[in-house]
Each structure stands twice: as C-alpha cells, then as structure tokens.
Amino acid sequence: MKPTEHNHDMQHMDHNMNMSSGSGMQMNHGSMNMGSMNHGSMSMDMGGGHMMNMGNFKRRFWISLILAIPILLLSPFMGIILPFQITFPGSNWVVMILSTILFFYGGEPFFSGAKGELKAHSPAMMTLITMGISVAYLYSLYSFVIKTFINPKAHVMDFFWELASLIVIMLLGHWIEMGAVMNAGNALQKMAALLPDTAHLITTGDQTKDVPVSELQTKQVVVVQPGEKIPADGQVVSGSSAVNEALVTGEAKAVTKQPGSKVIGGSVNGDGSLHVEVTATSSDGYLSQVIKLVQQAQKEKSKSETLANRVAGWLFYAALIIGILALVVWTIISGFSVGLERMVTVLVIACPHALGLAVPLVIARSTSIGAQNGLLVRNRQALEEVKHLDYVFMDKTGTLTKGVFQLNDLISTSDLSKQELVNLFADVQANSSHPLATGLVSEAKKQGLTITPATDMQAIQGVGVTGTVNGKFYQIVTAKYLDEHHLHYDRNQFETLAGAGNSVSYLVQDQQVLGLTAQGDVLRPESHRLMQQLQRMHIKPVMLTGDNELAAQRVAHELGDIEYHAELLPQDKEQVIAKTQAQGNDVMMVGDGINDAPSLSRANIGVAIGAGTDVAIDSADVVLVRSNPEDIINFLDLAKATNRKMVENLWWGAGYNIIAMPLAAGILAPIGIILSPAVGAIIMSLSTVIVAVNALTLHLKKEN
C-alpha cells in the first residue's frame, strides 16, 4: 500500500492520521471512539438480500412482544393447560385476532427473507421459520373455525402459543445477533458521501449554475467556494487555496493549490475560492473506481452461506418430507384429520426455539469477548470463514513494521551539502504526513534546521511529491520514475541501499538528481511471532506492498523468507487476492486505507488496522482496535472457539428435531410410542436452556 520509494500518491493512507468522517468514528493507534455510532441506522440481511434496519427491527420486536403476552396468557401450550393460563368468554376471539396481527406484522421480516431464499432456490433459516409460523397460524385458524362455528367439543389442537413464542424468540435472536455485530456503517455510502451532491458550474457569460455532480462533464469548469468539497477530479485554472485531502489521500495537512495544481474529488477546500476544470467525471474518478471494486467484491462475497443457514435448509427439506409422509400414512390409518394434525405437529416442531437462539447467543458472547481483547467483529460470517483459511495477506508499512522511518543514509550527487540536502527534502515534504516525510522532517528538526514549507506541494500518483521552495521547483521521486524518464542515477548504489531494506527517495531539480535519502522502517517484534504462529496453524503468510522489489525482498527475508508481492497498486492487490481465491483458496487481507477497501472486501476475511481510516474499517469484517498484528492470532483462536460452540449449539437445536420430528410423525407408533405435544414441549424447552448455557461457556484461550 505504501511504496517505500516515497510514494506520496493519492492511494496512500497515513497510519498516524486521525480520521473523523460522517460516522463520527475516530481511529488513532488503537484508541477507538465508538460513542457517536448510530446503531439505529444499522442494517442486517434477513435472507435473500432483504435488509432490515435495526431501529425498525427493535420496534417490531417490542410491538410483537406486547401482542404476544396476552396470547401466551390466554392459550394452551401444545394442548397443556398452564397454571397461569386465563380464560373468559370470548378469550378465543382475542387470541385469534391478536395472533393474526402478530403473524402478519411480526412475521413480515421472515416472509420477505423466505421469498428471497426461495427465489434464489436456496431455502434456509428464513424459509424454515416461515414454514413453522405459517403452518402454526393456518392450522390454528382452522382449529378456531372448527371449535367456534362447527363443533365446540372437537379435539382439534391449536398452536397460537407456539406461533407467538416462535415469532418473538426468532425476532429476539436476530436482534441479539444484529446488536452484537455492531455494524458501524456502509463503506460504499461512506465513500460516496465524500463527494458533494451538487457543483457550481460556470456557464456562458461567467454565470454559475448548480448542477448535480453526476451531470458534470470533462473540460467543464466549476467554482469551489471556501469550505466546500471539491466535486470531481480536476485541475485548478484560477485561484489559490489550501486543500485538505485527508479523507482521500491520507495527507492530513492542508496542501496549497494554485493554477495548474491537480485536485481530487472529495477533498475539502480551505479559505480560498478555486476555479477547477473537470478532468474526470464522477463515474471515472478515483473514488468511483474504488467504489466499483468494493461493490463487486462485496456482491461476490455475500453469496457465501452460513453454517446455520445450511442446517436450516436441511431441516426444511427433512421436515417437509417427514410431514408429508406423516399426512399420507396417518390419513390411510386413521383418517385425514389425524394425518393433518400429525403433519402440522411435525412442521411446527421443525422450527424449535433453540435453533433460533443457537447462533445469536454464541455470536453475542463471542463479540463481547473479542471487544475485551481488542477485536471488533463486524461480520459474523468472518468467524465461520476461519476454518477454511489458507492465506493471510498483509500490508507492510504500519502493519508488519512500525511505520516510523529513520534516516540510514544521505548522499549528495550535486554541490549541495548534506545539511542543505536534508533541509530541501524537509521543505518539500513539510506538509506531508507520510511516514517517510515525517522521518525526514524529524531529522531536519533534530539538526536544528529552519524548515520552509513548499508553497504548492502536490502528491503525484505512483511517483512521489513536488513543491516549490524559494522559487525553485523540486521533485521527490522513486527510482522507477527516474528509469521511466531516462534520468541518470547510480543504479548499483540504489540496489545496494534498497537491498538493505531501505526506502530510497531522490531529489530532482531541472531534470538533475541532486541527492538521495535511504530510510529504513523497523519491523515490529510481534511480526516475527505472527509469522511463526500462522505457519504452525498451516496458514501461509504473504506480504503485499508497494515497496521496490529489493526492499520488499529484504523484509520478507527477515520475516522468515515469506512469500511477497512488491510494487503493487491498489488494484494489483485486489487482483492478487482474486487470483488466489480462483485457485480454490480462502484468504484474509489485513490493511488500513481507502485504497485497501477493494482488497478488504474481496478477501474472505477483511481485517482493518485500528489506526486506519473509516472507509477501510467499514470495508472490513474485523477491526484490530489496538493495531497489533499479533491480535490476528487472537481472532483466529476466538473464531475457532466460536465455531466449536456454534456447531455444538446447532447440534443441540437441530438434535431436538432429529429426535422429535420422526417421533411426532409416529415412526414408533407400532410399538406404542408417539411423541405427545406435552413431551415435545418439555424437550423443546430443555434444548433452549442448554443452548443458552452452552453459549455462556465460550472463552478465549490465549497461546503463550
């Protein structure tokens, strides 16, 4: 992500920056301010792509609970008259009316989710729940009509109690899971919000007209007033101002813009007014390209199916087959009414309360433990993906290294003294927050030099930075730039310095190399342990970096000769991950910037460093709050423990079905054993209690 040959480009996101966008979330080297998150705006996929807003979901749960309470008090539990049951003339009407309202209102999320699952030909949890509550309601309605209008003494059991409890508990389970995951927002919305909605377009006669940003065309000129966001990528044609590019480039300090300077859509204008010629429309700009990559990656990633949904799918088919067989067999033996009741009992039992709580309770416990250990789990699916993990791809600077560069060598190739050379490097980069720049500025201050910030510093994508100092234009560039522009430099010298793990930067003025710096980043001590632990787990670590080949090779060697890919742009990283996945591997990506968002979304598990940016965090499944890469191991251990508990709980929940459905269907009737509703109710309650207790026993066992 950060080419160590001094790539101050628009893709770099500074590890030391303190981002604060629309979400109000701040990330700064492990300190997280979550207080201003708006949980009410959180959404959850209820199945088949049907999204439910958490605020609406919470309201739906409480209203459903209010409707359910009188139903539970006025109706029997699978034919059992409960001690607290109340009856009075007309109470059956109250139960029927409230149950009807509850069925359509409380069940709506499940109906919508089931519709999506069936449309995708993949019935799962939503379909199973819908089947259970639908059969319970329709058969209970049938029972109400029979006993109210046809034969008051008929022995036709209703399932209004089961209907109410199923809906409330399933809503509760999904609410617990939604609240536990703490989804902070949507990365695509965050990136799109970086651009304003309208732009001040200059029309004929130097008049201005407000137009939607989406309608801007290249070569058109727009006015950007003080404090406004720049609507599109472009070039300043008149005016001057200091522009804050932090939200886009990671350069936290304001950058002076004058005629000829390039500006990036989404950056924030300072006190001056700018006339900007549009060079890229909203669909072609940098942010747009990143959004498209993230969108495509998220779309493909969402196709993965969770373990709970697979179990629910199997139970749906099993219940349907067993229920139909029970209907046919018992209709032949004892008549249609008996066969129908047996089938309904099977289908209602197929959706036990325990199964609805099995996974949410474990997820709630897991995310709580994770938070206590510096892990913010934002996507529960990431916990399940761990068991298939083959590769962990990691950014280098700030992740495997400390991101603090020290000056290891300074060489003048002109008549400049070393002190003058350091001074110029610091002047040109004074307004940059890149780790390489801050290292040079710190060195200049240490030497007691006076720093004169460049008046028009610009970050150049894939190259470095430029700026004017005392009327002279300077460039700080990479060796790759020198090669492409056929500028003379000592290649052997570069290979020696880069091969020693240094980031080499060149100062150029009037096509002449004036000197160079060699700066070295320091590996985090925990990075070595991380490599060893991953390899013990049979997971292959891979370093993805924008560094030059020699520097990357050196770091990879220090880490135990791990695999690496060097000189990568953001799209290159995403392609490496996609290619690895295409070979049948599951991968994790660890990154921290807007430019890492496509890779984080593409990977099976995206892990954001806590010191990174909001957009990276919103693209990730897991956030390392303390910015400690060794916390990856804690996450892997927690995920494995969580998976074990989920499997155990699903067995307790589904195990009830495995035993109860055949017995309810009457498979042992020839020897006089038929599961009565009362016994079924006891087993159902017992399995729910066991699931809850088992979830609480989850803990994280840290390896020494």
Side-chain angles (χ1 to χ4, degrees):
M1 184 178 72
K2 300 125 186 127
T4 59
E5 291 179 322
H6 216 172
N7 181 3
H8 292 273
D9 61 22
M10 65 192 296
Q11 286 122 2
H12 167 70
M13 304 306 297
D14 179 23
H15 290 269
N16 299 318
M17 69 188 291
N18 200 353
M19 295 290 292
S20 180
S21 68
S23 70
M25 180 190 293
Q26 292 185 328
M27 301 290 169
N28 184 20
H29 286 275
S31 63
M32 297 183 65
N33 178 12
M34 306 294 293
S36 56
M37 271 193 210
N38 183 4
H39 291 272
S41 63
M42 195 164 65
S43 296
M44 180 179 183
D45 190 343
M46 295 296 295
H50 175 66
M51 303 304 296
M52 173 63 71
N53 178 277
M54 185 172 182
N56 295 336
F57 200 92
K58 180 179 179 181
R59 181 169 60 251
R60 190 179 297 269
F61 166 76
W62 285 114
I63 292 175
S64 296
L65 179 62
I66 292 170
L67 291 169
I69 289 174
I71 298 173
L72 299 177
L73 294 174
L74 297 174
S75 58
F77 177 24
M78 283 198 172
I80 306 172
I81 304 299
L82 299 171
F84 55 78
Q85 186 177 342
I86 303 170
T87 57
F88 53 83
S91 62
N92 58 332
W93 279 94
V94 174
V95 170
M96 188 273 293
I97 292 171
L98 291 178
S99 296
T100 300
I101 297 172
L102 177 61
F103 174 68
F104 287 105
Y105 177 74
E108 192 279 331
F110 306 116
F111 302 150
S112 299
K115 182 180 178 181
E117 290 177 353
L118 293 174
K119 189 176 180 180
H121 306 291
S122 181
M125 185 66 77
M126 297 298 105
T127 309
L128 181 64
I129 295 172
T130 296
M131 180 182 70
I133 63 177
S134 297
V135 169
Y137 173 71
L138 293 174
Y139 188 79
S140 298
L141 198 60
Y142 160 76
S143 172
F144 172 81
V145 171
I146 293 294
K147 290 191 287 188
T148 303
F149 299 107
I150 300 175
N151 182 8
K153 296 182 180 180
H155 296 288
V156 184
M157 185 171 62
D158 67 62
F159 294 94
F160 284 127
W161 199 99
E162 290 69 35
L163 168 70
S165 59
L166 277 172
I167 288 177
V168 170
I169 285 183
M170 294 304 167
L171 287 174
L172 176 62
H174 282 83
W175 183 22
I176 289 173
E177 182 179 343
M178 187 185 291
V181 171
M182 293 175 64
N183 189 346
N186 184 283
L188 297 178
Q189 292 175 352
K190 287 265 181 85
M191 282 186 278
L194 293 178
L195 291 176
D197 296 325
T198 60
H200 311 306
L201 177 65
I202 297 180
T203 60
T204 307
D206 286 335
Q207 299 296 312
T208 59
K209 174 185 177 183
D210 286 353
V211 299
V213 170
S214 58
E215 295 182 5
L216 289 178
Q217 301 295 322
T218 56
K219 297 188 184 282
Q220 290 182 330
V221 178
V222 297
V223 178
V224 185
Q225 301 294 349
E228 293 183 338
K229 289 183 178 180
I230 295 173
D233 294 2
Q235 186 170 2
V236 177
V237 293
S238 66
S240 64
S241 183
V243 175
N244 188 332
E245 299 180 339
L247 291 177
V248 181
T249 68
E251 298 294 344
K253 295 183 180 180
V255 180
T256 300
K257 300 295 181 181
Q258 296 177 338
S261 301
K262 293 181 179 179
V263 292
I264 304 166
S267 52
V268 181
N269 188 23
D271 296 332
S273 178
L274 297 175
H275 284 208
V276 177
E277 181 180 330
V278 177
T279 58
T281 62
S282 59
S283 60
D284 298 325
Y286 171 67
L287 283 177
S288 177
Q289 298 307 311
V290 173
I291 287 172
K292 288 175 183 176
L293 285 172
V294 172
Q295 195 171 33
Q296 180 62 27
Q298 288 183 341
K299 181 179 179 182
E300 294 183 15
K301 192 172 181 177
S302 68
K303 295 177 182 177
S304 301
E305 189 177 29
T306 64
L307 177 61
N309 274 338
R310 289 198 296 273
V311 171
W314 298 333
L315 287 178
F316 170 76
Y317 286 116
L320 211 55
I321 293 170
I322 294 173
I324 292 173
L325 286 175
L327 172 65
V328 173
V329 173
W330 283 101
T331 296
I332 294 172
I333 296 173
S334 304
F336 178 74
S337 61
V338 175
L340 182 62
E341 185 172 318
R342 285 288 102 194
M343 181 185 75
V344 170
T345 303
V346 169
L347 296 182
V348 172
I349 281 176
C351 187
H353 304 63
L355 193 62
L357 293 174
V359 171
L361 288 175
V362 174
I363 295 297
R365 174 68 176 164
S366 178
T367 51
S368 175
I369 293 173
Q372 295 168 14
N373 288 274
L375 302 168
L376 176 58
V377 181
R378 301 181 62 254
N379 180 4
R380 84 151 199 217
Q381 202 164 306
L383 295 165
E384 296 188 27
E385 292 285 352
V386 163
K387 57 181 176 286
H388 305 300
L389 195 60
D390 301 298
Y391 288 83
V392 173
F393 290 96
M394 290 163 285
D395 174 43
K396 184 182 78 67
T397 306
T399 300
L400 297 175
T401 68
K402 293 182 178 180
V404 178
F405 288 81
Q406 60 185 21
L407 183 63
N408 292 331
D409 209 344
L410 176 71
I411 300 173
S412 176
T413 57
S414 62
D415 57 0
L416 290 173
S417 68
K418 287 190 175 183
Q419 193 174 67
E420 290 172 329
L421 189 60
V422 169
N423 215 154
L424 279 173
F425 266 104
D427 289 345
V428 176
Q429 303 171 100
N431 287 328
S432 173
S433 57
H434 190 287
L436 287 171
T438 56
L440 259 300
V441 172
S442 296
E443 178 65 25
K445 290 180 178 178
K446 188 187 301 182
Q447 295 184 20
L449 302 177
T450 300
I451 299 175
T452 306
T455 55
D456 57 350
M457 195 207 86
Q458 287 191 61
I460 305 176
Q461 181 178 356
V463 176
V465 294
T466 64
T468 301
V469 179
N470 296 326
K472 293 182 179 180
F473 180 73
Y474 295 94
Q475 296 170 291
I476 295 178
V477 298
T478 65
K480 184 177 180 180
Y481 176 88
L482 298 179
D483 288 334
E484 291 174 348
H485 290 77
H486 309 292
L487 299 181
H488 175 72
Y489 71 104
D490 189 334
R491 182 70 191 181
N492 292 330
Q493 184 184 62
F494 165 75
E495 291 179 354
T496 300
L497 293 171
N502 290 299
S503 300
V504 184
S505 305
Y506 293 86
L507 181 66
V508 177
Q509 198 254 329
D510 288 337
Q511 303 298 300
Q512 179 187 355
V513 176
L514 302 180
L516 60 95
T517 59
Q519 294 172 264
D521 197 358
V522 181
L523 277 174
R524 293 177 183 267
E526 55 266 31
S527 295
H528 293 93
R529 296 194 297 269
L530 173 62
M531 299 303 115
Q532 295 169 357
Q533 290 171 309
L534 287 175
Q535 289 165 346
R536 280 203 302 268
M537 293 177 165
H538 305 291
I539 298 172
K540 188 171 184 178
V542 182
M543 184 174 71
L544 301 182
T545 178
D547 291 354
N548 63 74
E549 178 71 22
L550 292 174
Q553 185 181 53
R554 175 77 177 188
V555 174
H557 175 70
E558 290 183 24
L559 289 172
D561 291 317
I562 65 170
E563 182 181 334
Y564 69 93
H565 297 266
E567 300 183 8
L568 300 179
L569 293 175
Q571 59 267 33
D572 299 327
K573 290 185 180 181
E574 195 260 352
Q575 289 169 6
V576 169
I577 290 175
K579 182 179 179 181
T580 306
Q581 290 174 318
Q583 295 170 349
N585 299 300
D586 279 14
V587 304
M588 173 190 287
M589 172 64 190
V590 185
D592 72 335
I594 287 179
N595 54 340
D596 281 328
S599 300
L600 291 169
S601 295
R602 170 69 63 185
N604 300 85
I605 305 172
V607 178
I609 294 296
T613 65
D614 286 2
V615 172
I617 287 162
D618 286 340
S619 301
D621 305 303
V622 182
V623 180
L624 304 184
V625 178
R626 298 181 297 211
S627 300
N628 183 349
E630 206 169 9
D631 280 342
I632 292 172
I633 301 301
N634 284 339
F635 167 69
L636 295 177
D637 290 339
L638 176 62
K640 289 177 180 178
T642 301
N643 273 309
R644 283 195 298 271
K645 284 299 175 185
M646 284 195 292
V647 170
E648 290 171 8
N649 267 8
L650 286 171
W651 269 111
W652 281 114
Y656 162 83
N657 296 76
I658 294 171
I659 297 172
M661 286 194 299
L663 293 178
I667 193 171
L668 297 182
I671 59 174
I673 299 177
I674 297 179
L675 182 68
S676 68
V679 175
I682 292 171
I683 297 175
M684 178 187 292
S685 301
L686 183 61
S687 66
T688 303
V689 172
I690 292 174
V691 159
V693 172
N694 190 47
L696 293 175
T697 63
L698 175 66
H699 65 279
L700 175 61
K701 182 179 179 180
K702 295 183 181 180
E703 295 184 6
N704 295 324

